[in-house]
Amino acid sequence: MATEYDLVVDSPGRINIIGEHTDYNNGFVLPTAIDKIIKFKFRKNGSADKCTVHSANFNTDFSFSLKDVKPSKEQWANYILGVISGIQELTDKIEGFDCTLDSNIPVGSGISSSAALECGLAFGLNELFDLGLTRLQMVKIGQMAEHNYVGTKCGIMDQFASVMSKDGHVILLDCQSLEYEYVPITIKPYKILLLNTNVSHNLADGEYNKRRAMCEAGVETIAKKYPEVKSLRDVSPEMLTEFKGILDDVTYNRCSYVVDEKVRVLDTVEALKNNKLDEMGANMYATHEGLSKLYEVSCDELDFLVDFSKNYDSVIGSRMMGGGFGGCTINIIKEDAVKEFSEAAEKAYFDKFNIKLTAFEANPCGGTSISETK
Ligand code: GLA
């Protein structure tokens, strides 16, 4: 019933081919939006400050006043309030609105339903009230909502991918300069298959912030000898080895993963451009090894699925994706093997963990967009 609404916006989740936990270390990432979205229906409600957001998935409403925006005890409300607060720092043009959300992005699956929520809201309100925000401003509003309202000190990758993606491409994003390049992702006869563990170990947020703090502690030590080093982006693998035995082992391992991952992303982009998909896949396996053993953000369920994929020649790359501690693995697999592999993985996973695995293909898509206007 589009006429009940002034505007309908589709905001996508994202995948990331490679470059994990590198964004907040000023490194490179290679994400894209996919065909899993939150659909937002917006209307102005004529009030100066009263707003209501309805989640169709959870069948719940949340109402608030624009005059009293502050963090809530309800975590899902914080994504919304954080975005409103970010917009209010830039403009006072926003007025009362109603919004309905309907999502087919599995929550907690590491494909960033949260960025889709933040960015879709910012994008829709920008249209509805003609706020004149740029796409990059919306990206940053989303990221700051996570920092200031949700409490996750995330990097910029998820929001950037949700808003800026281009159909059929991945984005090589330099998280230091925010320069980016669209790289075609033509990988026929392969497909991108996600395996959702359907677990989301709840240490995720605290552990995420701890990883970030550890990387920063590593940089602080390295910068005492090399003052030009401002982030792990500025540290080469050779430079880091000088700090073995100076940094404690855990910090050293964390830094070592990030420094290697920076190189792997750039190698992978070259491989993709030159259609050397086996190299891309091998790098994805190496990333998983690093995330599991050095960065320690994997879990038994993710490790099991990545190991399981190694039994299949049709899978050329597999790794955990996103923040970790659950969510999905991303797999590059021959098109004609998707069904057989998915079924075998589902069975093996259920036998091992007694949990249902969900397998689905991910297709690279464009970023947040208007799908209907009145
Ligand atoms: C989460 C964060 C991102 C990024 C990834 C790990 O998705 O929101 O900023 O750090 O984890 O790569």
Side-chain angles (χ1 to χ4, degrees), residues 14 19-24 154-158 208 322-323:
R14 63 100 190 90
E20 218 65 89
H21 287 274
T22 48
D23 55 356
Y24 55 83
C154 67
I156 201 164
M157 168 171 76
D158 301 349
Y208 185 94

Side-chain angles (χ1 to χ4, degrees), residues 61-307:
D61 283 336
F62 167 64
S63 296
F64 61 97
S65 161
L66 292 171
K67 292 188 188 135
D68 186 26
V69 173
K70 54 176 191 299
S72 156
K73 287 196 190 84
E74 287 244 23
Q75 195 61 311
W76 84 277
N78 281 326
Y79 294 98
I80 294 158
L81 292 164
V83 167
I84 302 290
S85 161
I87 293 176
Q88 287 179 327
E89 280 175 25
L90 300 174
T91 168
D92 58 6
K93 277 171 72 181
I94 156 172
E95 292 170 13
F97 67 90
D98 299 330
C99 168
T100 297
L101 313 174
D102 201 351
S103 172
N104 65 10
I105 308 178
V107 173
S109 62
I111 54 178
S112 211
S113 56
S114 55
L117 174 56
E118 295 143 14
C119 295
L121 185 63
F123 192 95
L125 295 176
N126 183 53
E127 279 301 313
L128 199 61
F129 295 106
D130 199 15
L131 305 179
L133 302 175
T134 63
R135 283 186 176 247
L136 191 57
Q137 280 176 314
M138 295 175 212
V139 166
K140 289 187 175 168
I141 286 170
Q143 186 192 14
M144 285 305 121
E146 298 259 359
H147 282 218
N148 301 330
Y149 274 67
V150 179
T152 307
K153 302 286 178 199
C154 67
I156 201 164
M157 168 171 76
D158 301 349
Q159 293 78 10
F160 200 96
S162 187
V163 176
M164 305 292 281
S165 288
K166 182 169 157 185
D167 200 12
H169 292 73
V170 287
I171 311 174
L172 171 60
L173 172 65
D174 176 339
C175 299
Q176 178 155 280
S177 65
L178 297 187
E179 281 171 11
Y180 59 98
E181 178 190 341
Y182 292 112
V183 180
I185 174 119
T186 31
I187 56 170
K188 232 174 155 25
Y190 293 93
K191 288 263 183 189
I192 300 168
L193 179 75
L194 302 187
L195 297 181
N196 187 357
T197 58
N198 288 310
V199 297
S200 158
H201 296 291
N202 55 10
L203 14 113
D205 283 353
E207 289 296 320
Y208 185 94
N209 290 347
K210 273 194 215 160
R211 293 299 178 287
R212 184 173 181 146
M214 241 181 214
C215 292
E216 285 164 4
V219 167
E220 209 178 297
T221 303
I222 297 168
K224 287 190 183 127
K225 180 161 180 209
Y226 294 103
E228 70 278 16
V229 168
K230 303 285 183 247
S231 71
L232 288 177
R233 164 65 174 269
D234 305 322
V235 178
S236 65
E238 298 71 38
M239 191 191 277
L240 184 64
T241 51
E242 291 179 39
F243 294 86
K244 206 168 170 84
I246 298 175
L247 293 171
D248 68 81
D249 286 351
V250 175
T251 308
Y252 184 84
N253 286 345
R254 305 291 191 248
C255 294
S256 158
Y257 161 75
V258 173
V259 165
D260 290 348
E261 182 75 347
K262 177 178 65 179
V263 179
R264 269 194 297 263
V265 178
L266 297 178
D267 272 5
T268 302
V269 170
E270 280 317 297
L272 186 58
K273 285 179 176 170
N274 293 304
N275 206 27
K276 294 185 175 163
L277 299 181
D278 286 339
E279 275 177 35
M280 175 174 103
N283 282 345
M284 291 170 71
Y285 277 119
T287 291
H288 185 79
E289 188 70 13
L291 286 167
S292 180
K293 304 277 164 34
L294 300 175
Y295 216 64
E296 295 183 275
V297 291
S298 187
C299 58
D300 290 348
E301 293 87 348
L302 290 165
D303 288 345
F304 175 83
L305 289 174
V306 171
D307 280 344

